[in-house]
Amino acid sequence: MSMIVRRLSRAATAGLVAAAALTAAAHSAEAADTLGSAAVGQGRYFGTAVAASHLGESDYAATLDREFSSVTPENEMKWDATEPSRGSFTFTSADRIVDHAQSQGMDVRGHTLVWHSQLPSWVSPLGAQDLRTAMNAHINGLMGHYKGEIHSWDVVNEAFQDGGSGARRSSPFQDKLGDGFIEEAFRTARAADPAAKLCYNDYNTDGVNAKSNAVYDMVKDFKSRGVPIDCVGFQSHFNSNSPVPSDYRHNLQRFADLGVDVQITELDIEGSGSAQAADYTKMVEACLAVSRCTGMTVWGVTDKYSWRSGGTPLLFDGDYNEKPAYGAVLSALGGSGGPGDPGDPGDPGDGASCTATYTRTADWSSGYNGQVTITAGAEPISSWTATVTLPAQQSVSSLWNGTPTWSGNVMTVRPSWNGTLAAGASTSFGFTAAKNGSDAAPTVGTCTAS
Ligand code: G2I
C-alpha cells in the first residue's frame, strides 16, 4: 500500500492543531465504552453530522467529543455555504468544524461537492460550457482548501430520481452537461486531492430497487472504465414510510463486490424505544457483516437539532440522554461488555495476529517521516494495535492513517479506518517527527490484533 502523507494545507497553525489532535485523541480510544471507540475496535469509524452553530453549546460539544470518531459538516461545506458568489469562497463555518474535529482526533467526511440542492442562485443560469467550468472550479476550490484533511468526499449527491425508472434526476448539471457530469466531477476530484476517498452518495438506495440498480450500474461502469470512484454512501434516512429494507446488508455487499467501499452516511431512524433500537441494531450488524463497510455516520448528535426532530430519529434525546437506540448501537459494536470485548469467547478473530515493521520514508535536517506497516497473520483481523517508542528528545507533530494515544514517549496507535485486514494483507500509518537533536530511530513493539 502506498503511503500518502496527510498534509495540513490550511493555516499556519496547522502543526499546533495536529499536535493537539494527538493529545485529545487519547480519551476517545481508551475504552470501548463509547460509540467511536467501540467502532474503532471493529475497524470502523462512527460519525455524526455536525452544525458549526452548535459547537459552542457545552452539552453538544461534550457529547460529540466523547462519542464520535468522525464528523460530517451538515450544511457548512455545501455550495451555497462555500461559494455564495462565483469564485469567492468562504470557509469560516466549515473550518470551525474541521478544526474542532482535528483537535479531537476525529476524521472528517466532506459533504458535498456537486448537488442540485443548496446551490447558490448564480449557478443555475449558466450555459453548459460555463457551468462545466464553474463545477470544476468549485471542486478544485473546496477540495484544494481541505487537501489532505478529508477522509472521504461525497463528490456527487443524489443524482438519480426516486421512483421506478432509475433515471437521472433533472438538475442544472444533468440537464446541461448530460450523464457525463458525474464522471467529470469524479475525475476532477481525484486530481484535486488524490488522498481523499471519492464517494457517490444517495438516499432510497438502501435496498435493491430501481434507483439502487441504476447507481449500481453506474458504479460498475465506472470501475470497468477506470473512472475514479472509491466508495458509495447510503444515506439511510428511515421512517414508517421508508422502513429499513430487509435486503439492506445484501445491497451493501453487492456494491462492495464491485470493488468500492460502502459507508452509511446519514443514518437516522424515526421512532423510539425498543423498536427504534432494534432497527439501529440491524444497521450496525449489516455494516459489520460487510468487510468493505468502513463506517457509519448518524445525521446529528441530538434529536432536538435533527432535520426530522419531530420524529426523534437519533441516539441522544433533546437533553443529551442516551436513548435505548444508543445502548443497542454500542452493544452491536461490541462495546460495554458485549460481544467483541477482549477475551469474550466465541468472538471471531480470537486467533488474530499481526506484525509491525518500521521504515523512514523521508529525512531532513530537523525531522523525518516514519512509516509503520501492519501485516495481518494467518487469520483476517478487524483491528490492530502497535506501539512505537520514540527517542526522548523527539516529538511527533502529525500522524495519518492511525489513531494515537500517548504515554510519555510511547505512542500506541490503533486504526482510524484501516483496521480490517484480510489474512496476510497490510496497511500502514505514518508520522512526522521532529528530531530535536536526536537522529535515532524509534523502536516498534509487538503488534496485537483482534
Ligand atoms: O435532508 C436531509 C439530508 C439529505 N441528504 C443530503 C443532506 O445534505 C441533507 O441534509 C439536510 C440538512 O440536514 C438540513 O439542515 O439538508 C437540508 C437542506 O437540503 C438542511 O436544511 C437546511 C434548511 O432547509 C435551510 O432552511 C437552512 O438554512 O438547513 C439550512 C441551514 O441550517
Side-chain angles (χ1 to χ4, degrees):
M1 167 177 291
S2 67
M3 188 195 70
I4 299 158
V5 176
R6 201 167 184 195
R7 186 170 58 83
L8 295 179
S9 58
R10 291 182 297 139
T13 55
L16 295 175
V17 170
L22 296 182
T23 318
H27 71 92
S28 64
E30 262 163 16
D33 59 1
T34 67
L35 301 172
S37 57
V40 165
Q42 303 287 349
R44 267 75 171 186
Y45 65 82
F46 199 96
T48 179
V50 164
S53 57
H54 302 317
L55 287 173
E57 186 183 324
S58 58
D59 285 347
Y60 183 93
T63 308
L64 168 66
D65 296 350
R66 188 181 70 242
E67 295 292 342
F68 297 96
S69 64
S70 168
V71 300
T72 306
E74 187 171 355
N75 290 295
E76 291 79 352
M77 287 186 176
K78 292 171 179 174
W79 199 319
D80 61 353
T82 51
E83 197 186 3
S85 57
R86 189 167 186 178
S88 163
F89 286 87
T90 62
F91 296 114
T92 316
S93 297
D95 279 356
R96 246 187 108 192
I97 294 176
V98 174
D99 289 345
H100 185 95
Q102 289 176 345
S103 77
Q104 298 296 317
M106 299 166 177
D107 290 324
V108 182
R109 291 194 84 260
H111 176 82
T112 172
L113 295 164
V114 182
W115 186 29
H116 66 275
S117 184
Q118 285 173 284
L119 270 181
S121 57
W122 62 267
V123 176
S124 302
L126 300 178
Q129 201 46 48
D130 214 9
L131 180 64
R132 168 172 288 121
T133 306
M135 180 184 83
N136 290 323
H138 182 71
I139 294 170
N140 284 323
L142 197 42
M143 290 187 80
H145 182 73
Y146 293 110
K147 189 169 183 180
E149 299 181 83
I150 303 294
H151 167 243
S152 303
W153 269 108
D154 290 332
V155 178
V156 175
N157 194 41
E158 302 176 4
F160 287 81
Q161 253 176 34
D162 285 337
S165 71
R168 299 289 171 97
R169 176 199 294 274
S170 171
S171 73
F173 309 104
Q174 181 66 37
D175 300 347
K176 292 174 187 163
L177 307 180
D179 286 357
F181 89 87
I182 302 182
E183 170 172 352
E184 179 155 353
F186 274 85
R187 291 191 189 280
T188 303
R190 176 67 91 225
D193 184 355
K197 301 268 190 196
L198 305 182
C199 303
Y200 176 79
N201 191 52
D202 215 327
Y203 67 93
N204 285 354
T205 49
D206 310 302
V208 176
N209 57 38
K211 187 172 180 180
S212 66
N213 286 345
V215 176
Y216 180 90
D217 289 345
M218 178 187 75
V219 174
K220 191 173 178 185
D221 170 56
F222 279 13
K223 294 300 286 182
S224 74
R225 292 188 299 110
V227 179
I229 185 168
D230 305 304
C231 36
V232 176
F234 297 84
Q235 293 185 10
S236 308
H237 295 291
F238 298 119
N239 57 24
S240 52
N241 295 323
S242 175
V244 177
S246 57
D247 56 359
Y248 190 88
R249 172 183 162 180
H250 166 73
N251 192 46
L252 289 185
Q253 186 65 58
R254 73 172 176 146
F255 277 87
D257 290 343
L258 291 174
V260 287
D261 290 341
V262 292
Q263 302 175 359
I264 301 175
T265 51
E266 303 181 14
L267 177 61
D268 51 18
I269 308 174
E270 291 191 44
S272 61
S274 56
Q276 184 181 48
D279 274 345
Y280 266 103
T281 298
K282 279 186 217 160
M283 302 302 296
V284 175
E285 287 177 350
C287 183
L288 295 183
V290 175
S291 63
R292 291 198 75 142
C293 181
T294 55
M296 57 210 101
T297 296
V298 289
W299 204 240
V301 175
T302 160
D303 280 341
K304 74 172 163 173
Y305 297 139
S306 164
W307 72 297
R308 283 179 166 170
S309 56
T312 60
L314 295 170
L315 302 177
F316 294 90
D317 72 14
D319 295 320
Y320 299 95
N321 296 312
E322 296 164 359
K323 294 165 62 182
Y326 170 89
V329 169
L330 184 59
S331 162
L333 287 169
S336 227
D341 274 2
D344 183 11
D347 277 351
D350 281 348
S353 64
C354 58
T355 55
T357 56
Y358 167 78
T359 48
R360 186 177 289 202
T361 52
D363 190 63
W364 57 96
S365 56
S366 61
Y368 65 90
N369 284 343
Q371 176 177 320
V372 175
T373 300
I374 309 290
T375 305
E379 283 192 23
I381 64 174
S382 59
S383 192
W384 45 262
T385 305
T387 55
V388 179
T389 305
L390 286 126
Q393 299 95 316
Q394 295 182 4
S395 58
V396 167
S397 60
S398 67
L399 186 143
W400 51 95
N401 296 336
T403 304
T405 58
W406 286 92
S407 174
N409 61 335
V410 180
M411 175 170 79
T412 300
V413 183
R414 298 183 175 83
S416 29
W417 57 83
N418 48 348
T420 302
L421 294 174
S426 296
T427 186
S428 61
F429 64 87
F431 58 91
T432 298
K435 292 178 183 171
N436 299 326
S438 166
D439 193 33
T443 49
V444 177
T446 316
C447 187
T448 56
S450 59

